Amino acid sequence: MAPLPNSKDQTLFRSVLSFYENKQYKKGLKTAEQILRRNPKHGETLAMKGLIINCLGRTDEAFTIVKDALKLDMKSHVCWHVYGLLWRSVKNFGEAIKAYKFALKLEPDSANILRDLALLQAQMRDWNGYVESRRLMLGQKPNLRMNWTGLAVALHMSGNYEEAEGILTKYEESLKVQPPKDDLEHAEALLYKNMIIAESGQTERALEHLLSIEGRMLDVSSTLEYKASYLLKLGRNEEACEVYRTLLGRNGDNRAYYKGLEEAKGIKEDDVAARKKLYEGLAEVHPFADAPRRVPLDFLSGDEYREAAEKYIIRLIKKGAPSAFLSIKAVYKDTSKQAITLKVVEDFLAETRANPPADDASEADKTRHTENIVWALYFIALHYDYYRTRNLDLAFKTIDEAIELDPTLPELYMSKAKMYKHAGDLKKAAETMNTARELEKSDRYLNTKCSKYTLRADDNEGGLKLMSLFTRNEAAGGTLGDLLEMQCIWYLTEDGEAYMRKNMLGLALKRFSQVHKIFEDWHEDQFDFHSFSLRKGQIRSYVAMLRWEDQLRHHVFFRRAAIDACKVYTLLADQPHLGHASLSMGQLAEDFEKLSTAEKKKAMKKAKREQQKEEEKRKEEAAKRKDEANGKADDKVVDTDPKGEELVHTTTPLEDALKFLNPLVEFNPEFVEVQAIAFEVQIRRKKYALALKALVAGHKLAPNDGRVHEQLIRFRKIVDSLPSEPTDAEPLSDVLIAEFNALLPKDTNVVEYNQQYLEKEATNFINLRYGLQAKFFLNPEKKDEAAAELVKAVDLEECDIKEAVEGLKVLREWKASDEVLNKYKEAGRGRWPQATAFQA
Amino acid sequence: MEIRSVSYHLLGGIQETNLSNLPENYFLKYYLYHEACWPELSFVAVDTETGAVVGYVLAKLDEASEKEEQRIGHITSLSVNRSHRRMGVAHRLMAQSEKAMQEVYRAGAISLHVRVSNKAALHLYEESLKFTHDRTEVKYYADGEDAFCMKKVLPIPMD
Ligand SMILES: CC(C)(COP(=O)(O)OP(=O)(O)OC[C@H]1O[C@@H](n2cnc3c(N)ncnc32)[C@H](O)[C@@H]1OP(=O)(O)O)[C@@H](O)C(=O)NCCC(=O)NCCS
């Protein structure tokens, strides 16, 4: 390290460091430049200048500067440390770790560099490296408890339970005096050790240890939960029962405790009498808990069910709890309970009506009487709206009766809106939800629902406007900016899906990418906790956080947006003209479909030219905005592509899809729809091995699934038509081909195979539809026949409206004639007269 | 419906519930922060069939009081989806959190803010849970509404 020759510059250099730490970048930059004027070859100052420039958003420039600095002073740990920080800021943690390690070699005692290195190792799950760093940190400061726990966590995560436990014990033994009883950090460390022992598989010893520390545990709930589970595992059932009863006394609404108790008592799931007795007893002990009253409804039947259901439901109805039907609908899986449940409420309704309050009864009594009728009607209406017992005419009739009695209750309109949705009239649904919203404008829940329904009716602007009633609209980017900042994923997804339905694929991709970005931020969020949590001493919670982060993208929010995005990208790969707003929407789009190939090419060319012009304009504007922003704030990054035009104009849609697809498949392999979309992307990329992998996985999950069936057939054709000489496509190994042959033998007559499937699935609309798609794929000339069968299928009982609307889309993909489309719509109208999609 | 202690994989659902019910919203990191610091204090109501979050209480220890003689628990946010209101969910969530504050942190009191116009919440706090008015904070909320600061003294737990 070359020191600065003059002491004034040395002082200035220290102030550069502190300007940087206090985020005063402009001042820091000025000072660094001041030093450099006198000492142009001072590497460390130059490195600091680069670091600050990076913070001002000029990353490329920063890298050039810091690389120059390194050339000037290869032996400086500061330069290497800064180089690592740059890599860290662009999230290239691998390179950052390398640079930190260089820095550390030059300055082995630097606690700062070691800390930065350790944090990255934890973030990267480089547990072996982390163990080493943590050992050094403990060596530097063995008096800090967090350094002991830090090493224990590192060892635990690397799978070394024994040493992890040993380290914690060593620290405990080093304590001269026992910490006071309310020392939470100590209690937590003990409980953490207990968790390690249990995870190492030594249940017996874990229990023993737990009993030895039980008395001083502050987190009583966890302690009891651990104890109960150990006892159960060890077969000490009677003791386990007792602990579960204690737990239930603390929280009578935790279903896991009931399950634990049943297990400990050795009650079999089908032993109805024993379960009934158990829950009756529990209901007495826990008069306010929901579970002991609700759980028996799952296993009781006949008169016993009737009796229990009556008590449960009527109590909720009398309380005016809107959740009465929601709470019970799961029992409808058992069809025999559907009628009984309805009868229970109908009887209550009849009885209430037969006993009106006397004329001189109090107002409160009169109101209660009406309320009981209204909530009973509400229950019955929901019964008829539920898909297992759906009769929309009766549902509408019943809810209208209720509305007549009380036109001020939002719930009634909310459920009516849902009925319109089920009838296929999304516009009416949104309007009705708005009526509900207007009845209680201060309730954000109603506003949320209304916005969602508005988006479902494809009204993006309307949805946003509603949201604006509850957001801080002065945030950068207005309402949408606030929703983004607050990570309102449901809205982004619904908004994107609405754009998708309208073929506005740029905005759709934009929204799905925003969801993707939120998940990246959530992943990044853990960073600070690698040090914070150790200081706080909440170690078990920290470990839980690490484990959750490792599975972060196994989340329905991510799954949904990622599948959507992949769908858009496959659409773009199949029909590149959809990337051009002018060719994908409205009249022009329809005209485009009718053009000849040559004319299509011409139109595409024109659209591309226009797009290029627009792009240049946009880039100019973005640059301008960026300049303006640079003048104002240091850290605000400007969105240069608010409408997703750059995203949608990609020339490599399938490669872009991988950003979504890879984590989707890695973290959600157990979903057929995930494997199905993986197949669609990979087959288009001509990555046949990956496509087959998805197909095999999908087949394993749902061998009879229509999607899988259709993909099998498509893949058979592709495999059969692969040229024997090498192509640009990845070759399929014999092993893979053998694997595929096991699913669909090589000499299968696929047309017949498909025909058999169609016959077998004759009553299942979804599977039938996929079978017909396969039929069309195999014999495009049989389009009319396939279409006619699809029209017929609309009448199937199992066909629901969402699927029926999908069917219409399939016909359009086949370029079916107007006549066929009209027939299909007519069939749809026959079943759902109000459905917008089927209007002529 | 059931009531459990919060775990990390439910935080996304809790954030969504908060965004659906209240205008005071936070990014996920703030929820992480609660769970990392006071994992015992927050609870969630979940639909047993779907696993979806239907209500939550997000609670913490008043940082200023952490080193003081008397620690104070604080309710950061509480809400229940309209579909599950009026069946005692909020009451149960609050009861669980209160108990944990006493047990784990020996908190001597619990505090919270509520909009002066929020009848349902005021009923819950004053009538059902026996909170009292501490003071009014003028224009506490972003839209200019005042807040009541509510407080409840917790009995010291016996060991
Ligand atoms: C306030 C809120 C959390 C109450 O949730 P909840 O689960 O319905 O409440 P509970 O069922 O536990 O009811 C508790 C008590 O409040 C009463 N209550 C609930 N809603 C009420 C209402 N709208 N009007 C009058 N009293 C009401 C209940 O009758 C019950 O009283 P009881 O103990 O005398 O029987 C819920 O309405 C909500 O989420 N609102 C929107 C978000 C919000 O305002 N949060 C509070 C911010 S401080």
Side-chain angles (χ1 to χ4, degrees), chain A residues 344-492:
Chain A
V344 161
V345 181
E346 279 176 345
D347 285 355
F348 169 77
L349 179 64
E351 195 192 299
T352 312
R353 276 180 166 153
N355 295 294
D359 284 345
D360 59 350
S362 69
E363 267 320 299
D365 279 347
K366 284 180 184 163
T367 314
R368 193 168 313 125
H369 182 257
T370 317
E371 278 178 357
N372 284 347
I373 294 176
V374 167
W375 287 114
L377 286 169
Y378 175 72
F379 186 102
I380 295 168
L382 292 182
H383 166 95
Y384 285 125
D385 185 43
Y386 187 46
Y387 80 100
R388 291 183 194 275
T389 39
R390 186 165 295 162
N391 180 334
L392 284 178
D393 287 340
L394 279 176
F396 275 115
K397 190 177 148 277
T398 315
I399 205 67
D400 282 339
E401 249 180 90
I403 289 175
E404 206 160 297
L405 288 171
D406 185 354
T408 66
L409 198 58
E411 272 74 13
L412 304 181
Y413 296 94
M414 289 166 78
S415 59
K416 191 169 176 182
K418 203 164 179 188
M419 291 168 197
Y420 278 121
K421 187 172 89 179
H422 293 149
D425 190 340
L426 298 176
K427 201 152 165 271
K428 262 282 196 20
E431 282 165 15
T432 311
M433 197 52 96
N434 196 48
T435 309
R437 181 187 72 83
E438 285 180 332
L439 288 170
E440 209 178 309
K441 282 190 175 164
S442 63
D443 186 4
R444 190 174 188 181
Y445 185 86
L446 291 172
N447 180 270
T448 302
K449 278 271 172 198
C450 189
S451 173
K452 192 184 241 167
Y453 270 61
T454 306
L455 292 174
R456 287 282 169 95
D458 292 350
D459 179 1
N460 300 76
E461 290 75 25
L464 188 66
K465 208 163 147 210
L466 282 161
M467 290 305 279
S468 77
L469 298 174
F470 282 90
T471 52
R472 284 178 311 124
N473 304 314
E474 70 274 16
T479 301
L480 186 65
D482 190 48
L483 292 170
L484 264 176
E485 195 177 324
M486 291 305 142
Q487 307 174 330
C488 191
I489 292 182
W490 80 259
Y491 176 84
L492 297 171

Side-chain angles (χ1 to χ4, degrees), chain A residues 319 440 442-445, chain B residues 17-18 20-24 54-56 75-82 84-94 112-115 118-125 127-129 141:
Chain A
K319 263 175 98 175
E440 209 178 309
S442 63
D443 186 4
R444 190 174 188 181
Y445 185 86
Chain B
T17 307
N18 164 267
S20 299
N21 285 311
L22 284 166
E24 289 77 38
V54 298
Y56 67 87
I75 302 297
T76 303
S77 185
L78 163 76
S79 73
V80 178
N81 281 348
R82 193 173 174 108
H84 285 76
R85 288 184 200 159
R86 314 220 54 164
M87 59 184 295
V89 171
H91 194 149
R92 290 164 217 224
L93 290 166
M94 287 291 291
L112 57 84
H113 292 106
V114 55
R115 283 176 185 268
N118 193 342
K119 287 209 195 80
L122 279 168
H123 184 104
L124 166 72
Y125 300 137
E127 310 297 326
S128 315
L129 296 168
Y141 292 100

Side-chain angles (χ1 to χ4, degrees), chain A residues 2-153:
Chain A
L4 285 156
N6 118 8
S7 73
K8 187 177 153 229
D9 284 337
Q10 285 170 14
T11 316
L12 282 176
F13 185 76
R14 275 193 294 277
S15 59
V16 172
L17 295 180
S18 81
F19 281 138
Y20 165 74
E21 264 153 31
N22 296 318
K23 301 198 164 124
Q24 294 169 290
Y25 301 133
K26 290 257 150 84
K27 281 188 188 161
L29 186 58
K30 244 195 197 145
T31 317
E33 278 167 348
Q34 202 180 330
I35 304 175
L36 284 167
R37 242 173 274 136
R38 282 187 294 269
N39 314 275
K41 296 225 172 294
H42 191 249
E44 293 186 348
T45 309
L46 195 60
M48 283 310 296
K49 176 180 163 182
L51 185 59
I52 290 171
I53 279 182
N54 186 51
C55 295
L56 292 170
R58 284 138 61 188
T59 303
D60 294 342
E61 194 183 337
F63 266 98
T64 315
I65 294 177
V66 174
K67 277 180 191 158
D68 285 343
L70 267 171
K71 272 182 218 146
L72 289 172
D73 199 350
M74 284 291 274
K75 290 255 176 301
S76 154
H77 69 269
V78 174
C79 291
W80 282 106
H81 193 179
V82 165
Y83 193 48
L85 289 170
L86 280 197
W87 282 119
R88 144 110 184 79
S89 77
V90 296
K91 305 208 174 110
N92 188 333
F93 296 151
E95 286 298 323
I97 286 181
K98 268 194 230 158
Y100 289 156
K101 280 187 175 162
F102 259 110
L104 203 58
K105 235 183 238 155
L106 296 163
E107 185 78 2
D109 294 333
S110 164
N112 275 345
I113 303 174
L114 189 55
R115 185 205 54 215
D116 282 350
L117 173 64
L119 291 178
L120 273 194
Q121 287 167 326
Q123 183 79 0
M124 294 289 287
R125 308 296 192 257
D126 170 9
W127 296 129
N128 292 331
Y130 190 53
V131 168
E132 287 326 304
S133 301
R134 278 282 157 200
R135 279 194 209 283
L136 292 172
M137 287 165 95
L138 179 59
Q140 283 177 355
K141 281 201 182 125
N143 55 330
L144 288 182
R145 177 169 212 156
M146 62 172 277
N147 282 343
W148 292 82
T149 8
L151 178 56
V153 170

Side-chain angles (χ1 to χ4, degrees), chain A residues 218 220 250-251 253 255 323 330 411 440 443-445 448 487 490 522 528 536 538 541 557, chain B residues 2-3 8 15-16 19-20 22 25 28-29 35-37 49 66 82 85 87 92 96 103 106:
Chain A
L218 294 164
V220 182
R250 297 164 55 85
N251 177 5
D253 289 294
R255 294 283 178 103
S323 62
E411 272 74 13
E440 209 178 309
D443 186 4
R444 190 174 188 181
Y445 185 86
T448 302
Q487 307 174 330
W490 80 259
W522 287 3
D528 293 345
K536 264 270 162 190
Q538 289 281 18
S541 181
F557 293 169
Chain B
E2 60 181 298
I3 292 189
Y8 284 96
Q15 184 186 42
E16 181 176 27
L19 277 158
S20 299
L22 284 166
N25 311 125
L28 195 82
K29 196 163 178 189
E35 189 59 10
C37 292
E49 285 310 311
E66 223 163 323
R82 193 173 174 108
R85 288 184 200 159
M87 59 184 295
R92 290 164 217 224
Q96 290 297 320
E103 226 169 52
R106 314 280 151 174

Side-chain angles (χ1 to χ4, degrees), chain A residues 145 179-193 213 216-219 537 540:
Chain A
R145 177 169 212 156
K181 216 188 144 208
D182 64 353
D183 184 334
L184 185 62
E185 187 181 7
H186 185 64
E188 263 305 310
L190 295 177
L191 215 44
Y192 175 49
K193 188 165 101 176
I213 58 171
R216 61 167 303 143
M217 288 301 102
L218 294 164
D219 184 353
R540 287 176 307 136

Side-chain angles (χ1 to χ4, degrees), chain B residues 13-108:
Chain B
I14 291 177
Q15 184 186 42
E16 181 176 27
T17 307
N18 164 267
L19 277 158
S20 299
N21 285 311
L22 284 166
E24 289 77 38
N25 311 125
Y26 323 96
F27 16 75
L28 195 82
K29 196 163 178 189
Y30 194 55
Y31 295 88
L32 289 183
Y33 173 66
H34 277 77
E35 189 59 10
C37 292
W38 312 281
E40 312 86 355
L41 299 188
S42 294
F43 289 84
V44 62
V46 176
D47 181 310
T48 307
E49 285 310 311
T50 63
V53 174
V54 298
Y56 67 87
V57 60
L58 186 72
K60 64 177 195 168
L61 206 61
D62 184 340
E63 282 104 329
S65 79
E66 223 163 323
K67 301 269 177 290
E68 302 272 313
E69 188 69 20
Q70 195 201 41
R71 290 179 181 167
I72 299 176
H74 185 77
I75 302 297
T76 303
S77 185
L78 163 76
S79 73
V80 178
N81 281 348
R82 193 173 174 108
S83 52
H84 285 76
R85 288 184 200 159
R86 314 220 54 164
M87 59 184 295
V89 171
H91 194 149
R92 290 164 217 224
L93 290 166
M94 287 291 291
Q96 290 297 320
S97 187
E98 236 180 76
K99 184 188 185 95
M101 284 174 186
Q102 283 176 279
E103 226 169 52
V104 185
Y105 296 96
R106 314 280 151 174

